[in-house]
Amino acid sequence: MIEAVGVGKPVLFVVREPVDSIVSWHQFTGQAFERIIAHYVVFHRKLSGYRSQMVVATFDKLMTDFSKPLQRLQLKYGIEANLDFSQDTLAQQTLAAIDRDIEASGKVKDENIVPRPSPQRAVRKAGLLAELRAPRFEPALVEAEAVYRDFAGE
């Protein structure tokens, strides 16, 4: 990403709220919360110096209206993008493509690492959220939230 910014390529950076990002990455990798939180903070701090050279969209906003970040890309970089699409259709097509890719890979579908919502992940997420809200993580999460707000422009 830094390299792309350095050569003037269009960059859309999607920033996700720390708690959701941390839980998702934990489900995917099994890494310890402490390590994931620290990485979240370091990663976003490193990229914050390049923020003005890219289009930043929050994950939540991107999921509700993909056309707005595309419009901002068009304006910032002078590129053409087809904005004539249905958000719901795009979401359905994306989820179907994820499932097709998994099937084509021949790998067993592991709901812990499938990059889309699933009932199994939602159940596990509830327990992980409770674990992540333990007092020992509070200082690090406060720092991660501050980095997120700064990066997201909130």
Side-chain angles (χ1 to χ4, degrees):
M1 192 167 332
I2 293 171
E3 186 177 319
V5 165
V7 296
K9 289 188 178 181
V11 174
L12 172 62
F13 182 75
V14 180
V15 61
R16 191 170 182 190
E17 290 192 30
V19 169
D20 286 337
S21 181
I22 292 160
V23 168
S24 181
W25 195 242
H26 176 78
Q27 284 185 295
F28 187 75
T29 66
Q31 291 179 1
F33 283 138
E34 294 89 348
R35 181 175 181 178
I36 299 169
I37 296 167
H39 183 264
Y40 182 97
V41 170
V42 168
F43 177 76
H44 288 85
R45 279 197 177 137
K46 183 171 186 172
L47 286 178
S48 68
Y50 301 90
R51 189 186 185 294
S52 66
Q53 297 168 275
M54 54 182 127
V55 171
V56 177
T58 65
F59 181 81
D60 291 338
K61 289 180 183 172
L62 188 76
M63 298 285 76
T64 57
D65 189 355
F66 190 65
S67 66
K68 286 194 172 127
L70 286 181
Q71 289 170 346
R72 290 180 23 233
L73 275 171
Q74 284 181 310
L75 290 172
K76 186 170 186 76
Y77 298 107
I79 59 174
E80 295 292 323
N82 180 3
L83 301 175
D84 186 26
F85 58 84
S86 157
Q87 182 78 21
D88 290 337
T89 301
L90 179 63
Q92 290 170 0
Q93 290 172 340
T94 301
L95 295 175
I98 290 168
D99 284 335
R100 277 194 311 276
D101 288 348
I102 292 167
E103 289 171 20
S105 74
K107 295 179 182 175
V108 175
K109 189 186 297 185
D110 179 351
E111 288 298 328
N112 287 322
I113 61 172
V114 174
R116 57 143 170 72
S118 78
Q120 294 90 334
R121 283 176 61 125
V123 168
R124 186 161 179 241
K125 180 179 179 179
L128 291 171
L129 285 171
E131 186 180 333
L132 185 58
R133 295 290 184 199
R136 68 186 175 115
F137 296 119
E138 186 176 350
L141 286 175
V142 166
E143 184 179 14
E145 289 287 343
V147 169
Y148 169 80
R149 284 191 308 277
D150 183 53
F151 208 97
E154 295 182 354

